[in-house]
Amino acid sequence: MQAAWISEALAASLERHSKEGLSRQLMRLLRQWISDGRLAGDTLLPASRELAASLKVGRNTVLNAYEQLQAEGYLCTRHGAGTYVTGLFRQRQQTPLPARSLPLGLSARGASLFASCGLPQGLSGAFAPGVPEIRQFPHHCWQQLLSRHQRQAHPAMLNYTADGGLPALREVLAEYLQLSRSVRCRPEQILITHGAQQGLELTARLLADPGDIAWVEEPGYAGAHAAFRGAGLTLLPAPVDAEGLAPQLVADPRPPRLIYTTPSHQYPSGVVMSLSRRLALLQHAEQAQAWIIEDDYDSEFRYRSQPLPALQGMAPDERVIYVGTFSKVMYPGLRIGYLVVPDALIDAFRSANARLYREGQYPVQAALADFIAAGHFSRHVRRMRELYRKRQLLLRQALADSAAEQLVLSPGEAGMHLVASLPPGLQEQTLSQAAATQGVWLRPLARHYLATPQQQGLVLGYAGVDQQAIRHGAQVLASLLREQGKT
């Protein structure tokens, strides 16, 4: 494989019409690559016959270059093994770049966005939050539907589109949202997106101007922070208490243009917004003439009671943009989300979405519409709800057996993760770094704060973690807690 890229690199570098002969060019290039470390000592070079054929030159051209470099001490031959770079030369050591060094040329807005775009380590396994159980997804059924629609796709489904999504998918989604979440919508109000993140970005760009105020929950979802920074907005932390986002606790008096909230299951605290707080938030948005962005990212997974209706369905006026995704209930790689947009805005949203992001995946959307209409989606949600409930109980038990006296866990009424609050003296960052060396991912709660963190904690995902990994992860965490407690 290495010999192949050497041949390709030489072929791309040779100048056929240069006054410098091809053999001399080969000598110069190889000598330079060996000297600057691109070709390390003991690297096997292509055989002369193979390299000549690859370069479309005579074999003597290659042999002359090899022999001269061998005479100079750059190359050596090993009987029956080929031609190698001599062992005197070592691969050039790369100077590591400073952590998250800033690329030249970014705007102030770009620099702010870049600073908020660090992705966490450990996107799977114990205890990566936000990851569903992909292994138990009904892949065979899904692939059958997907294959059929890809084979039978009408040419119009493969062209550029600006319809806001496949009508069949918008129709079944409207019915599902009305029945399951009390969302008030018609199919024409639904816009299919390439995931919830794109929906947040589109909403911010269309409903707010650079410099406008956006309230974000504190602690809150880093993906929303990135989307709003990308739109040039000014982010203000809106504290979350036991009832959810608390408008009365926002320290800055400036009225918001956007209010981002996750009322069904606050991310990451796990708080479910109370009815009185929902009504208060709607009233505050009306007084401030603000838009509420309601992210209902995992409302399907409740374990103790029926969910409260969506804010969107409770709003007396059309002041709420409802955001949903299939990443949590199906699989993240599907990259399909949706917005429910007021009638007065849907044309603008549809046009901007088609121009900025382009629509697509209509055969996939057709398969998803059938998946929902045939009942596969609701059955999968029910199975995963029961599985996640059991895994949460197992995580609680595993931690209680080893570290209950040091951790305080969030209620876990819904969702795919728990927050473990740490007592004073224990450092979440130290725990996270130590656990990562053992393949266990502990998300520090501090990553979800805009301002100074108000508590130390860990975000522990359990949905995509099997029983063995949950027990192992709990043991690793308990051991680290004991070690840090002694220091």
Side-chain angles (χ1 to χ4, degrees):
M1 181 63 70
Q2 195 170 42
W5 78 252
I6 293 172
S7 298
E8 292 175 3
L10 287 170
S13 302
L14 286 179
E15 298 179 8
R16 303 285 175 171
H17 304 293
S18 171
K19 293 181 179 179
E20 183 181 20
L22 294 177
S23 185
R24 293 189 61 83
Q25 289 187 52
L26 281 176
M27 281 190 288
R28 176 174 51 80
L29 289 168
L30 289 171
R31 186 187 297 114
Q32 177 183 335
W33 294 355
I34 294 169
S35 298
D36 66 17
R38 289 183 63 181
L39 293 177
D42 299 322
T43 296
L44 174 64
L45 296 186
S48 59
R49 193 181 305 277
E50 294 174 0
L51 182 57
S54 177
L55 299 179
K56 295 182 174 57
V57 299
R59 187 184 179 198
N60 284 338
T61 300
V62 176
L63 286 173
N64 290 338
Y66 278 11
E67 288 172 359
Q68 180 60 36
L69 290 173
Q70 184 176 350
E72 295 175 8
Y74 286 91
L75 301 181
C76 63
T77 58
R78 298 176 187 174
H79 183 68
T83 301
Y84 288 79
V85 177
T86 57
L88 296 174
F89 297 93
R90 292 291 175 257
Q91 188 169 11
R92 178 180 55 200
Q93 296 298 314
Q94 298 289 339
T95 302
L97 294 174
R100 298 195 58 72
S101 59
L102 186 64
L104 296 176
L106 288 181
S107 65
R109 181 174 63 184
S112 175
L113 174 61
F114 175 72
S116 67
C117 285
L119 294 176
Q121 285 187 322
L123 297 179
S124 63
F127 292 106
V131 179
E133 178 48 87
I134 301 172
R135 292 162 296 190
Q136 296 195 31
F137 181 73
H139 294 284
H140 180 69
C141 170
W142 171 246
Q143 288 298 327
Q144 285 184 321
L145 292 172
L146 192 59
S147 297
R148 175 162 60 85
H149 282 286
Q150 287 175 331
R151 289 195 307 269
Q152 300 176 0
H154 189 277
M157 298 175 72
L158 307 178
N159 203 346
Y160 290 115
T161 56
D163 302 323
L166 188 73
L169 178 57
R170 290 188 280 119
E171 288 172 7
V172 295
L173 255 181
E175 182 179 0
Y176 169 75
L177 292 172
Q178 290 166 13
L179 294 175
S180 67
R181 299 297 295 119
S182 300
V183 171
R184 294 183 291 113
C185 68
R186 298 175 294 103
E188 294 78 13
Q189 292 178 257
I190 295 177
L191 175 69
I192 305 300
T193 65
H194 297 297
Q197 191 68 32
Q198 183 213 311
L200 294 175
E201 182 180 346
L202 180 65
T203 301
R205 295 174 73 172
L206 284 176
L207 298 185
D209 292 319
D212 280 351
I213 302 296
W215 281 6
V216 293
E217 295 171 323
E218 180 83 331
Y221 174 48
H225 300 171
F228 300 154
R229 282 196 175 104
L233 307 187
T234 300
L235 275 58
L236 293 182
V240 172
D241 62 15
E243 294 187 68
L245 187 152
Q248 72 277 11
L249 297 181
V250 179
D252 196 305
R254 290 175 292 175
R257 176 64 175 173
L258 301 179
I259 301 173
Y260 173 82
T261 183
T262 52
S264 296
H265 181 235
Q266 200 278 328
Y267 190 86
S269 74
V271 170
V272 177
M273 187 180 288
S274 67
L275 178 60
S276 60
R277 184 62 58 80
R278 291 168 187 247
L279 295 173
L281 185 59
L282 289 170
Q283 182 179 10
H284 188 92
E286 182 178 4
Q287 292 171 350
Q289 293 295 290
W291 292 98
I292 293 176
I293 302 176
E294 178 181 12
D295 190 344
D296 216 16
Y297 70 102
D298 68 355
S299 61
E300 289 85 359
F301 303 126
R302 289 194 61 83
Y303 311 120
R304 300 182 186 176
S305 61
Q306 292 297 315
L308 291 171
L311 271 175
Q312 193 270 1
M314 300 172 61
D317 55 5
E318 293 187 316
R319 193 171 297 282
V320 179
I321 307 296
Y322 183 90
V323 183
T325 179
F326 289 97
S327 294
K328 309 304 183 189
V329 290
M330 292 183 65
Y331 57 92
L334 183 61
R335 304 309 309 138
I336 293 182
Y338 53 90
L339 301 175
V340 178
V341 181
D343 277 316
L345 298 177
I346 189 60
D347 286 343
F349 269 72
R350 189 183 298 123
S351 297
N353 182 64
R355 169 51 61 191
L356 294 176
Y357 306 105
R358 296 297 189 189
E359 296 186 356
Q361 301 190 86
Y362 269 37
V364 179
Q365 292 184 30
L368 180 55
D370 282 356
F371 190 79
I372 297 173
H376 303 303
F377 178 78
S378 59
R379 284 192 292 273
H380 178 62
V381 168
R382 287 195 298 271
R383 287 195 301 268
M384 293 303 98
R385 185 186 296 130
E386 179 61 17
L387 177 65
Y388 297 167
R389 183 187 67 81
K390 291 179 179 178
R391 288 184 173 177
Q392 185 193 125
L393 291 174
L394 177 60
L395 176 57
R396 289 181 179 277
Q397 184 61 51
L399 292 174
D401 290 343
S402 56
E405 71 283 359
Q406 293 178 285
L407 296 177
V408 178
L409 299 178
S410 57
E413 296 181 15
M416 304 162 65
H417 73 271
L418 294 173
V419 173
S421 299
L422 297 175
L426 295 179
Q427 299 298 317
E428 59 181 25
Q429 192 63 43
T430 302
L431 287 170
S432 176
Q433 291 173 350
T437 64
Q438 302 183 55
V440 175
W441 311 109
L442 306 176
R443 175 83 60 82
L445 186 59
R447 292 182 181 172
H448 297 277
Y449 280 88
L450 281 180
T452 302
Q454 298 302 303
Q455 69 176 100
Q456 292 271 316
L458 302 169
V459 183
L460 306 177
Y462 55 78
V465 190
D466 62 26
Q467 294 183 4
Q468 182 178 354
I470 287 176
R471 293 192 178 97
H472 170 70
Q475 291 172 357
V476 170
L477 175 54
S479 175
L480 294 173
L481 289 170
R482 287 192 294 269
E483 292 176 10
Q484 194 174 123
K486 295 176 183 178
T487 59

